[in-house]
Amino acid sequence: MTQASSSAPNKKRIAIIPGDGIGKEVIPASVQVLKSAAASGGREVAVTEFDWGADRYLRDGTTLPSDAVEMFHRDFDAILLGAMGDPRVPTNVHAADILLGLRFKLDLYVNARPCVLFDKRFTPLKDRTEKDIHFMVFRENTEGLYVGMGGNFKKGTADEVAVQEDLNTRKGVERIIRYAFEYAKARDLKRVCMSDKSNAMTFAHDLWQRVFKQVKAEYPEIESSHQYIDNLLMQMVRDPSQFDVIVTGNLFGDIASDLGAQLAGGLGLAPSGNIHPGQVSLFEPVHGSAPAIAGKNIANPMGAVLTAGMMFEYLGWKPEAQAIVAAVHAALREGKTPAELGGSMGTRELGDWLSSFVAKAGVR
Ligand code: NAD
Ligand code: IPM
Ligand code: MN
């Protein structure tokens, strides 16, 4: 998952979009830790912050500026985003424009959401350990039910009709399935499971069936399987150890990755990458803006911190990425945990602790 970068190998240009709610708390903690890791590794990060989100939208109507996509391609190696969503914007239009807009317009077709249990104390599953919960969810990120094709007829009347299309292209389905197999192959992972609902979605998901059959034939060394999404979610709870790589569509991947996050300890611990291999890509924690706990310094920043680690790995800075992961491991081991994990560390205090841990342990 590495990128051929346009800038110098020891300097990366990172766009920061904290966004809304706890995004504004977890991203500063994440930036603090990533700066510490870069400095310890003798590298340089140039960060540029963008104030896009609900406040800005409510102030002047800005969502995603028209030159943003070109600017990211030209001036940045990666984007780190917090979360989008605010009760004052019930249409969620700013989130659709900014977050979904960047996924679509930067063509970030891989949404990589690892579900990895760091410490068995934190899974809600009885008798499960670190070796049981260690899999990747690849979510198709540019198509499906998210494309916004549809509309209303007779809106607001008793006869109203609402339609939302599930758009799937052969190219789109093929590239995410192939990515999942290539990822497994590169890491010597033995199992890829595709999930859809082709027993009911007989056009759109039949395409997934046919493409999966074709692509899996190219990877005979990998054990490929299929589970309908309803069964998949049940199986994730019943026996998560059966999965190495899961690949699925946009909406099902959204749902499966929140479940996977909780199996691995909590939504606040889960990182993700929105990736187009070789191009500027966007990294964000899996969680949202969590309005109920925003501004209280209690949100878990570990998902956002691990997201910075994923970003560094993508950019080819593996030692720095490992240093970040090691710091989170150490915090969990030493009981330096936030309320979500039963502890009392604040968001800022965890940012301080993790960044000084990285500075002390160094980057190897
Ligand atoms: P959410 O992820 O914000 O919160 C779900 C639950 O998890 C809440 O109980 C919340 O308190 C908790 N939680 C989430 N992150 C946490 C953290 N880091 N530490 C501790 N607890 C945490 O999902 P939601 O409540 O469905 O959505 C809230 C808003 O966020 C909505 O506007 C939604 O559209 C948006 N959202 C945005 C993104 C994104 O930007 N990527 C993702 C999901 C939801
Ligand atoms: C996520 C979020 C988004 C999604 C929302 C905010 C549109 O839930 O990134 O998981 O559904 O993709
Ligand atoms: Mn989600």
Side-chain angles (χ1 to χ4, degrees), residues 22 83-85 92 99 267-268 284 286-291 293 299-300 340:
I22 62 167
M84 291 288 163
N92 214 25
L99 181 61
L267 198 46
E284 54 166 347
V286 174
H287 65 73
S289 56
I293 61 163
N300 186 358
E340 184 191 38

Side-chain angles (χ1 to χ4, degrees), residues 345-361:
M345 292 281 281
T347 314
R348 280 190 298 276
E349 290 68 29
L350 265 167
D352 292 343
W353 194 90
L354 292 165
S355 64
S356 49
F357 183 93
V358 167
K360 268 185 257 148

